Amino acid sequence: MSLLGDWVLPGSLICIMFAMGLSLTVRDFQAVFGNRKALAVGVAAMLIIPPVIGVTMAALFAPSAALAVGFVLLATCPGGMLSNLFTDMAKGDLALSMSLTIIVSLIYILVVPFYAHLALSHFMGVQAEVSVPLGSFVWQIFSITILPAGAGFILRHYNPAIALKLKGPVKLIGAIVLFTAFGFILVDQIPMIRDHFGQLLWITVAINVLTLGAVLMLCRFMNLSGPENTAIGVEHLIRQEGTAIYIAVSIIGSNEMSLPMIMNTPVALPIAFIFMTLARRYFSKSSPHVARA
């Protein structure tokens, strides 16, 4: 499995982050602060609500220390690029969705080493903390996220024609390799899945449903519009599990730890489809609960 952890996962993630960079323009970043209230609510929700729920569920119900760390990593993932597509299909606020994806992804890269380190220290003890130094965490995550995304952004800025030609094939290659890696991990972890499938499933479902419910309550309290509710809700369901899997498998060296992230993909997608259908019906044309000043 060293080939998987040392080459396959990092390579797929580099391709995906490079493709993400090819999709970004200066205008995207200029539009980030177009709606400051909804943006602030969405960013704060992503940084607080899922980690609190994930850590609580992991501490109370995870069947092993490695899986507990995995659930913490899952709960701290930012929204994935597919969240923008789902938001658009649900008639949500697409600009808000893209802004949340960009900002929370950048913050995530800075804070995830600390989340992971604290989770390792708490659930797996001092030995894990010593064997995975914080400085190494930061550099390895930086090198497979910010660097390729930055390279893609620079190429898009200076040569958009080539960037647009490369974006589709690079993203496709990265996605195929990443899902192939998922398959190898699943095969390797069949005994663990067989023993704990029920617990993995219901904890993953609970994290998604509780998070979505808490986020929608916050959006209602903050008097956000229906399309803004949709964008923020979808962002909390469709996540970037790839980086968290890379941390678990390639940096920490635990295939078991990656199972919550792999489980989340087939769990979150149906929940997102249900939410998208309801959002199109109830949120797409709704206005804020009271008139804005």
Side-chain angles (χ1 to χ4, degrees):
M1 298 297 286
S2 60
L3 177 64
L4 175 66
D6 294 341
W7 297 98
V8 177
L9 274 175
S12 65
L13 202 57
I14 287 171
C15 287
I16 291 171
M17 297 305 296
F18 181 63
M20 181 187 295
L22 294 174
S23 303
L24 297 174
T25 66
V26 174
R27 184 176 298 177
D28 294 330
F29 289 96
Q30 291 172 339
V32 158
F33 298 101
N35 187 344
R36 296 182 181 179
K37 178 181 177 181
L39 185 65
V41 171
V43 171
M46 293 265 337
L47 295 178
I48 297 172
I49 293 176
V52 168
I53 292 175
V55 169
T56 302
M57 296 294 291
L60 293 177
F61 303 112
S64 72
L67 290 174
V69 177
F71 280 115
V72 173
L73 292 176
L74 169 63
T76 55
C77 286
M81 296 305 290
L82 275 179
S83 64
N84 307 149
L85 173 62
F86 273 64
T87 297
D88 191 37
M89 292 170 63
K91 298 183 180 181
D93 189 327
L94 182 58
L96 175 60
S97 175
M98 294 181 65
S99 299
L100 286 172
T101 301
I102 293 169
I103 289 182
V104 178
S105 294
L106 293 175
I107 296 174
Y108 171 76
I109 292 165
L110 299 176
V111 302
V112 69
F114 299 95
Y115 278 132
H117 228 245
L118 289 172
L120 282 170
S121 301
H122 178 74
F123 291 111
M124 303 188 73
V126 177
Q127 184 177 357
E129 181 179 359
V130 172
S131 65
V132 188
L134 182 59
S136 176
F137 249 158
V138 174
W139 167 246
Q140 291 185 67
I141 295 169
F142 181 85
S143 66
I144 54 93
T145 52
I146 289 291
L147 290 184
F153 174 75
I154 292 170
L155 179 59
R156 173 67 183 268
H157 182 71
Y158 288 103
N159 200 324
I162 292 179
L164 292 175
K165 288 181 179 178
L166 287 176
K167 182 176 69 173
V170 170
K171 184 182 292 185
L172 179 62
I173 292 171
I176 290 173
V177 175
L178 184 62
F179 280 102
T180 301
F182 285 8
F184 280 110
I185 294 171
L186 283 173
V187 171
D188 180 66
Q189 291 295 304
I190 284 176
M192 177 64 66
I193 295 171
R194 186 184 299 118
D195 291 341
H196 300 296
F197 177 79
Q199 288 174 287
L200 283 168
L201 179 61
W202 84 258
I203 294 173
T204 307
V205 171
I207 288 175
N208 280 279
V209 172
L210 291 173
T211 297
L212 180 61
V215 167
L216 293 180
M217 288 177 61
L218 175 64
C219 290
R220 183 178 180 85
F221 177 77
M222 296 302 296
N223 189 37
L224 300 186
S225 70
E228 291 166 348
N229 291 344
T230 299
I232 294 173
V234 170
E235 202 72 16
H236 282 76
L237 292 173
I238 306 299
R239 295 181 166 274
Q240 294 180 32
E241 295 98 340
T243 305
I245 292 173
Y246 167 77
I247 293 170
V249 176
S250 299
I251 299 181
I252 301 174
S254 172
N255 290 344
E256 178 186 348
M257 198 177 291
S258 69
L259 291 180
M261 284 78 78
I262 294 175
M263 176 70 73
N264 189 65
T265 301
V267 166
L269 283 176
I271 297 174
F273 272 112
I274 294 170
F275 175 67
M276 183 179 69
T277 303
L278 294 174
R280 284 175 61 90
R281 181 173 181 178
Y282 296 108
F283 287 164
S284 62
K285 297 180 180 179
S286 67
S287 58
H289 303 292
V290 295
R292 293 184 184 175

